[in-house]
Amino acid sequence: MLHVLTVSYTGSEEEAAPFVRDHVGYLERHHADGLFLVSGQTVPSSQGGAIVAYGVDRETIERISAEDPFVVNGVATHSITTIEPGRVHPALAELLAATEASRD
């Protein structure tokens, strides 16, 4: 399963600022384990950010989403859209297959 997590600030960017270091650590940890494929700020950044995750079920991504320091500290929420990939660009298909193989 592929998941798109939309990260929305509940207040201002300034209110989230004290938690950025821990949030970045959260992102780095999940990029390193292969779960997060892409993450970044929205444009404009004052809206929040987005994460593309792959390889876990909905229940697991909901649990992981709830562990984001931004969410834990009440400065952001995550909206999760789950996608069952149908048609996939060949380059992305290779990445998804490699990610899946690394988990086996």
Side-chain angles (χ1 to χ4, degrees), residues 39-79:
S39 63
Q41 292 183 310
T42 57
V43 178
S45 64
S46 62
Q47 295 174 345
I51 301 165
V52 176
Y54 177 72
V56 295
D57 61 26
R58 176 71 183 224
E59 182 179 328
T60 301
I61 201 63
E62 288 175 354
R63 180 184 49 77
I64 291 168
S65 174
E67 296 170 356
D68 180 348
F70 280 175
V71 173
V72 170
N73 290 285
V75 297
T77 61
H78 286 194
S79 170

Side-chain angles (χ1 to χ4, degrees), residues 15-104:
E15 292 171 314
F19 309 104
V20 168
R21 184 178 57 93
D22 291 339
H23 173 73
V24 169
Y26 162 85
L27 295 173
E28 289 175 348
R29 182 172 65 254
H30 291 298
H31 273 287
D33 68 16
L35 175 63
F36 291 174
L37 303 178
V38 177
S39 63
Q41 292 183 310
T42 57
V43 178
S45 64
S46 62
Q47 295 174 345
I51 301 165
V52 176
Y54 177 72
V56 295
D57 61 26
R58 176 71 183 224
E59 182 179 328
T60 301
I61 201 63
E62 288 175 354
R63 180 184 49 77
I64 291 168
S65 174
E67 296 170 356
D68 180 348
F70 280 175
V71 173
V72 170
N73 290 285
V75 297
T77 61
H78 286 194
S79 170
I80 303 170
T81 302
T82 300
I83 302 168
E84 183 65 51
R87 288 168 294 285
V88 180
H89 187 279
L92 182 56
E94 288 180 32
L95 173 65
L96 297 179
T99 301
E100 197 69 32
S102 71
R103 292 198 177 120
D104 294 338

